[in-house]
């Protein structure tokens, strides 16, 4: 096998398994870096991509948008990195000129291109990324934990800090705690909130408890509204994170949200949702969107992980060759938290 060849998990067609192929190692262009991928996280969005639900994604290509690795080769005009640096890869390639990029909200960039979506991502042995997308981290952080910072951890951080504006002693609820929500428990505790979590699976709620959740509610057995009402002395939650994202979960989130409170839409599964107008508008409840995170969130999140304040929760790791099994487990709901490919 030539030294210029690597293994990659290629999505050749929608609705099909990925194919492990040997393809040429990409070359970094000006301003780009070649990374030896060490860990590549799997996300529910990988399933949406496989199902052809993201119109900007064109096949064949290599998915994977939660990547950590080692700087392997520098393209021309790259400063600030050395061979061997441990880095995570920010997903969004920013234009840096639009009104959003120039005001610190690059996650809304008008000309957004994303690694692992419109360009090849991290489900491969070597990956090229713009140097501007790389952030260094301390080698004491294991690669599999670092890998999920760009999406699962930073996304919940942005949701909790910026969109939910969670404050100390706020009562918050994470609906459908899982790959993202379990990171969110630790982040919300860091901001001093009292944390409620829901799931239909006791094992997920166990992990949420271990992650610091104050109250866990199995919605197959307990009435969510009544339980929250009892535990909050009738005040209900200040901020609710809907990590499920189906029609009924938005209304459920609004139901357990106090007057003037916020519902942050983290999960997405269905395109249309219906809410009761009177009880939402007349109680001045806010429904707030969220997409990814900004560079500042990534910098802050890395620091919290390096300082041991957030310990990214990984449920299971797989080898690159096992990617289809890993995706099948995720689709079947067998993954009780984030899963990561180790390379
Ligand atoms: Zn994702
Ligand atoms: Zn922009």
């Amino acid at each position: 096998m030539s030294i210029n060849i690597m293994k990659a998990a290629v999505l050749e067609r929608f609705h099909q398994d990925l194919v492990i192929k040997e393809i040429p190692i990409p070359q970094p262009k000006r301003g780009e870096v070649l990374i030896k991928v060490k860990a590549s996280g799997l996300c529910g969005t990988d399933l949406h991509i496989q199902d052809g639900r993201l119109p900007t994604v064109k096949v064949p290509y290599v998915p994977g948008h939660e990547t950590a690795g080692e700087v392997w080769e520098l393209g021309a005009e790259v400063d600030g990195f050395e061979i061997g640096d441990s880095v995570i890869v920010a997903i969004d390639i920013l234009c840096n000129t639009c009104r959003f990029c120039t005001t610190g909200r690059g996650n809304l960039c008008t000309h957004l291109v994303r690694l692992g979506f419109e360009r090849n991502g991290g489900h491969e042995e070597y990956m090229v990324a713009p140097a501007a997308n790389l952030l260094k981290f301390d080698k004491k952080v294991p690669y599999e934990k670092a890998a999920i910072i760009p999406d699962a951890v930073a996304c919940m951080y942005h949701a909790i800090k910026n969109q939910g504006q969670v404050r100390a002693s706020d009562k918050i609820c994470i609906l459908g705690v899982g790959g993202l929500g379990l990171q969110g428990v630790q982040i919300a505790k860091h901001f001093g909130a009292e944390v409620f979590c829901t799931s239909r699976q006791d094992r997920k709620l166990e992990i949420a408890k271990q992650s610091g959740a104050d109250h866990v509610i199995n919605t197959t057995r307990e009435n969510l509204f009544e339980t929250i009402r009892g535990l909050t002395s009738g005040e209900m939650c200040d901020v609710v994170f809907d990590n499920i994202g189906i029609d009924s979960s938005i209304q459920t989130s609004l139901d357990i949200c106090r007057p003037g409170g916020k519902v942050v839409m983290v999960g997405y599964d269905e395109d249309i949702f219906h809410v009761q107008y009177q009880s939402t508008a007349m109680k001045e409840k806010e429904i707030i969107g969220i997409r990814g995170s900004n560079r500042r969130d990534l910098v802050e999140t890395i620091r919290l992980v390096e300082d041991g304040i957030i310990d990214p929760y990984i449920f299971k790791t797989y080898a690159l060759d096992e990617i289809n099994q890993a995706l099948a487990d995720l689709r079947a709901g067998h993954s009780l938290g984030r899963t990561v490919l180790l390379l």
Side-chain angles (χ1 to χ4, degrees):
M1 191 168 90
S2 158
I3 198 155
N4 299 318
I5 298 291
M6 65 168 182
K7 271 202 287 190
V10 182
L11 181 64
E12 297 195 310
R13 290 188 190 163
F14 296 121
H15 309 289
Q16 289 189 4
D17 277 353
L18 280 78
V19 182
I20 303 290
K21 294 186 83 168
E22 290 184 348
I23 61 173
I25 294 175
Q27 292 299 304
K29 300 193 187 86
R30 176 180 302 158
E32 292 181 338
V33 171
L34 181 69
I35 300 146
K36 187 177 201 315
V37 177
K38 297 284 194 176
S40 186
L42 296 165
C43 173
T45 301
D46 282 312
L47 302 177
H48 295 326
I49 288 171
Q50 193 176 25
D51 296 343
R53 290 178 58 183
L54 279 77
T56 57
V57 171
K58 308 288 180 227
V59 289
Y61 95 114
V62 179
H65 56 272
E66 296 192 340
T67 315
E70 199 179 300
V71 171
W72 199 254
E73 192 183 326
L74 303 175
E77 294 171 32
V78 171
D79 291 321
F81 292 96
E82 286 177 24
I83 308 296
D85 281 344
S86 293
V87 290
I88 59 165
V89 184
I91 301 162
D92 299 341
I93 300 175
L94 307 179
C95 79
N96 286 321
T97 56
C98 74
R99 62 183 290 188
F100 301 105
C101 284
T102 51
T103 54
R105 299 188 75 182
N107 64 328
L108 304 179
C109 175
T110 315
H111 307 102
L112 191 64
V113 174
R114 296 165 297 174
L115 293 162
F117 292 80
E118 293 82 25
R119 269 182 61 161
N120 279 357
H123 298 337
E124 56 185 355
E125 290 179 309
Y126 296 87
M127 171 187 180
V128 159
N133 279 55
L134 305 186
L135 296 101
K136 289 183 226 177
F137 65 89
D138 192 313
K139 284 189 189 299
K140 72 183 178 193
V141 178
Y143 279 109
E144 65 269 27
K145 289 183 188 279
I148 71 163
I149 291 176
D151 192 23
V153 183
C155 176
M156 275 317 291
Y157 185 81
H158 174 48
I160 289 167
K161 184 192 178 202
N162 304 324
Q163 303 304 85
Q165 298 197 354
V166 171
R167 306 258 187 275
S169 77
D170 273 357
K171 295 172 178 27
I172 73 116
C173 183
I174 300 173
L175 220 63
V177 74
L180 262 71
L182 289 169
Q183 325 302 333
V185 172
Q186 295 183 46
I187 296 164
K189 290 309 293 178
H190 168 64
F191 284 105
E194 183 177 349
V195 178
F196 299 70
C197 288
T198 80
S199 176
R200 291 161 174 253
Q201 296 183 58
D202 284 328
R203 287 177 65 203
K204 278 189 182 169
L205 294 173
E206 276 296 313
I207 302 166
K209 265 262 168 195
Q210 287 160 17
S211 301
D214 298 284
H215 314 278
V216 297
I217 302 158
N218 186 320
T219 49
T220 63
R221 289 197 302 269
E222 293 176 74
N223 179 300
L224 179 61
F225 182 83
E226 292 303 332
T227 307
I228 297 267
R229 189 158 72 168
L231 289 169
T232 61
S233 309
E235 289 191 350
M236 310 310 283
C237 293
D238 299 285
V239 189
V240 181
F241 298 88
D242 178 10
N243 282 28
I244 303 172
I246 59 174
D247 194 6
S248 61
S249 64
I250 294 277
Q251 184 59 51
T252 302
S253 300
L254 288 162
D255 290 341
I256 61 168
C257 177
R258 68 161 165 81
K262 302 182 179 75
V263 170
V264 184
M265 305 164 68
V266 181
Y268 68 104
D269 201 37
E270 291 175 10
D271 284 336
I272 306 283
F273 64 88
H274 302 82
V275 300
Q276 291 163 7
Y277 179 82
Q278 288 286 340
S279 60
T280 303
M282 298 303 146
K283 298 289 184 190
E284 296 194 348
K285 296 182 184 181
E286 298 174 53
I287 302 173
I288 299 169
I290 181 234
R291 196 203 75 79
S293 64
N294 285 299
R295 292 295 199 273
R296 186 194 167 132
D297 303 311
L298 285 173
V299 170
E300 292 176 6
T301 315
I302 290 171
R303 193 164 304 153
L304 289 170
V305 172
E306 285 176 339
D307 290 349
I309 294 164
I310 297 171
D311 180 21
Y313 176 73
I314 308 295
F315 173 65
K316 192 173 174 184
T317 60
Y318 296 84
L320 179 63
D321 291 338
E322 299 172 310
I323 186 168
N324 290 310
Q325 185 58 50
L327 290 170
D329 288 347
L330 186 60
R331 195 180 287 277
H334 296 156
S335 301
L336 303 180
R338 219 41 162 189
T339 53
V340 177
L341 303 172
L342 273 184
L343 287 96

